[in-house]
Amino acid sequence: MSKVFISHSTRGDSYATAVRLQLVSALRERGYDVLVDVDGLLPGDTWHPRLYEWLLECRAAVVLLNRSALASRWVHREVDILMWRHHFNPSFLVLPAPIGDVVTKDMKLAGFGELTSLQLARRVAAENASRDPADAVEAIVRAFPPLPSQPDDDDPVQGWAEDITAQLSQVRTMSRLARMGRALGLEDRHSAGGPVSDVSCGFLAAQMLHTHDALRLRDAVAEVARHMDRTALDQLVQLVLPVWIDAASARRVLPAGERDRPRTVVLGVRSPDTGEYYLGRAFCMDYSRYCPIVVSAPSPGEEDPAEELQYRCERTIRARFGMTDREPLSSAARLPDCDTYVVIFAEHCSLEETERVIDWLHGQLPWLHILLIPRDELTDGDPRPGLLAEASLLIPPFGADDERIAIRVAYGMLTDWGHGRGGDDGRAGRTSGRG
């Protein structure tokens, strides 16, 4: 039975509540297993943990967009995860359903512009002109296409959770899994009526992907580390290292639109490790989908920092692609169905110097994506030279102290549990992951 998730914020809106209730009934009559949370958010909860598991296991989703939903940070978070899955798997259906007096312009102003690009959103909006809940439900159901009889297994978000689940399944001591759940912040009221000791490895895996606190993540792994063999523990550590990066923020480094169009992102962080963690989070630790190449700027005192940075870029790319000095760099073969990112840590170069190097790189390999970590902190209003003026500026939702703590925790996890791969050999992009 196909699972359909309904994202909503209908409390206090009688019309939207009626639409939700009738829609749940209509979809269940058509044989769908409808996942919808109504009373799960209890006083003091930040977010119901079960929702994250539903968001990873559903095969389609309907987003009810009334005025309350447009302002709901929880609906925004759910849509971010759903569109993350849709990015990698276009057959994963996300059906935006504006209801009441909401139109596509309102969706764009509220930050749901991505949803307006889906044809179904405009179709539902055009058919939903009355204030009769039954008419709105009919328009939504009519726009809801039949789901494929067989699920598409090319879904790296779901695959990532399954990989974590596989490693956790080695833990046979239920009390340890219960302690892990508590370390992740789970309580008895979060476990769908059962005690924490009854939560599944899949549920715990979903919570690990939701965790943005590096210390909490480390404590959770520590609870089960002695109950796993070295290989499984090593794989678990590799898989969960980047989850302290917020998924919605990480998704902004993914290629937008046509894959042949190179993406340049200026990332306001302080370490190249963080740049690699961003890529790992965005691509679900599936190295068959992306290739990270890290280049650091030359130390102060170089006569021409831009020339030295260009040289380092070329040498690093040649080494990663197995090219000799006799081969022109422009002949580097692009990996099929794989996005190559050069993470440039420009700690000792100006924006102007770095921009010249990026311009040269794109002239040689126009399909390269660039993730630039600049020397100085930037804001939206700061001028940027040349092609960097058109680049996306991504300011993370965490501070310098959070970043330093997370990197230190990751280093410790790699050293203690990852076959001792700390230091330069333990960087995010050099560890084995999925793919």
Side-chain angles (χ1 to χ4, degrees):
M1 185 181 294
S2 297
K3 296 181 178 182
V4 178
F5 180 81
I6 295 183
S7 175
H8 70 96
S9 178
T10 56
R11 185 173 298 173
D13 184 335
S14 59
Y15 172 73
T17 298
V19 171
R20 171 176 52 79
L21 291 172
Q22 293 184 35
L23 178 61
V24 170
S25 178
L27 290 175
R28 285 176 175 162
E29 286 177 3
R30 285 159 177 77
Y32 294 113
D33 180 7
V34 182
L35 307 175
V36 57
D37 183 80
V38 181
D39 301 315
L41 287 174
L42 302 175
D45 282 350
T46 54
W47 203 41
H48 194 290
R50 184 65 64 178
L51 291 181
Y52 204 91
E53 186 179 36
W54 288 351
L55 287 163
L56 296 180
E57 69 184 24
C58 67
R59 290 188 51 205
V62 178
V63 184
L64 296 180
L65 292 166
N66 59 332
R67 292 289 170 182
S68 177
L70 294 182
S72 169
R73 57 178 175 167
W74 312 122
V75 173
H76 274 272
R77 180 177 292 182
E78 290 164 5
V79 168
D80 278 327
I81 295 168
L82 294 170
M83 293 304 290
W84 190 26
R85 293 186 62 187
H86 178 76
H87 174 90
F88 291 111
N89 182 8
S91 67
F92 176 74
L93 174 68
V94 180
L95 174 58
I99 58 177
D101 61 350
V102 172
V103 295
T104 53
K105 180 180 178 181
D106 299 320
M107 293 166 60
K108 291 179 180 178
L109 291 174
F112 291 102
E114 249 187 325
L115 294 180
T116 64
S117 65
L118 303 177
Q119 294 296 326
L120 291 172
R122 291 191 287 271
R123 180 174 161 190
V124 170
E127 296 183 6
N128 179 26
S130 77
R131 288 289 298 178
D132 187 341
D135 290 341
V137 171
E138 182 182 359
I140 296 168
V141 172
R142 189 183 302 121
F144 197 91
L147 298 180
S149 57
Q150 295 296 324
D152 189 338
D153 59 3
D154 187 27
D155 187 333
V157 182
Q158 191 174 44
W160 192 9
E162 290 171 353
D163 286 347
I164 294 174
T165 300
Q167 310 313 318
L168 289 177
S169 64
Q170 264 213 359
V171 181
R172 305 298 184 185
T173 308
M174 292 304 299
S175 62
R176 278 292 162 179
L177 292 175
R179 290 168 66 109
M180 183 183 202
R182 295 188 182 97
L184 290 171
L186 300 178
E187 302 176 31
D188 287 349
R189 60 180 177 168
H190 289 151
S191 54
V196 172
S197 58
D198 290 340
V199 298
S200 67
C201 291
F203 185 43
L204 291 173
Q207 301 319 302
M208 295 188 86
L209 291 185
H210 172 54
T211 299
H212 302 155
D213 187 313
L215 292 170
R216 173 173 285 183
L217 183 71
R218 179 203 61 191
D219 293 345
V221 174
E223 293 292 353
V224 297
R226 295 181 182 274
H227 295 255
M228 304 175 70
D229 66 38
R230 294 291 296 179
T231 300
L233 178 59
D234 176 55
Q235 285 296 310
L236 178 64
V237 170
Q238 312 289 335
L239 287 165
V240 303
L241 277 178
V243 302
W244 65 274
I245 301 289
D246 180 76
S249 179
R251 194 163 64 87
R252 292 180 56 193
V253 309
L254 290 170
E258 299 179 6
R259 291 184 66 249
D260 288 336
R261 184 177 180 182
R263 181 151 176 77
T264 299
V265 178
V266 180
L267 180 62
V269 298
R270 294 150 188 84
S271 167
D273 285 348
T274 307
E276 292 188 83
Y277 289 133
Y278 256 88
L279 292 173
R281 178 67 154 165
F283 284 92
C284 310
M285 292 301 290
D286 188 345
Y287 285 102
S288 69
R289 295 178 183 271
Y290 78 109
C291 172
I293 300 173
V294 179
V295 181
S296 293
S299 301
E302 293 288 345
E303 186 174 332
D304 189 339
E307 181 179 348
E308 177 64 21
L309 179 58
Q310 178 177 313
Y311 172 78
R312 292 187 180 200
C313 286
E314 180 172 359
R315 300 303 301 175
T316 307
I317 292 171
R318 284 184 181 278
R320 189 62 182 267
F321 286 3
M323 301 178 69
T324 67
D325 290 338
R326 294 188 301 272
E327 298 173 276
L329 186 63
S330 58
S331 69
R334 180 178 181 178
L335 298 175
D337 301 319
C338 181
D339 292 297
T340 300
Y341 279 76
V342 177
V343 181
I344 299 178
F345 182 43
E347 185 179 22
H348 304 298
C349 285
S350 67
L351 278 181
E352 289 74 15
E353 292 164 340
T354 309
E355 191 272 341
R356 297 206 312 266
V357 175
I358 293 174
D359 187 41
W360 173 80
L361 272 176
H362 279 160
Q364 296 290 315
L365 303 169
W367 40 266
L368 276 182
H369 302 289
I370 305 294
L371 194 60
L372 170 63
I373 301 175
R375 179 179 63 188
D376 303 315
E377 291 187 27
L378 298 174
T379 66
D380 286 322
D382 291 330
R384 286 176 270 156
L387 58 85
L388 291 182
E390 304 298 324
S392 298
L393 176 62
L394 175 51
I395 300 175
F398 52 77
D401 288 343
D402 297 319
E403 182 181 0
R404 281 190 286 267
I405 289 172
I407 290 175
R408 190 185 314 160
V409 167
Y411 178 91
M413 291 174 69
L414 284 168
T415 302
D416 297 339
W417 300 320
H419 290 178
R421 286 197 294 270
D424 290 340
D425 291 334
R427 295 175 61 138
R430 293 180 175 81
T431 55
S432 60
R434 299 184 57 226

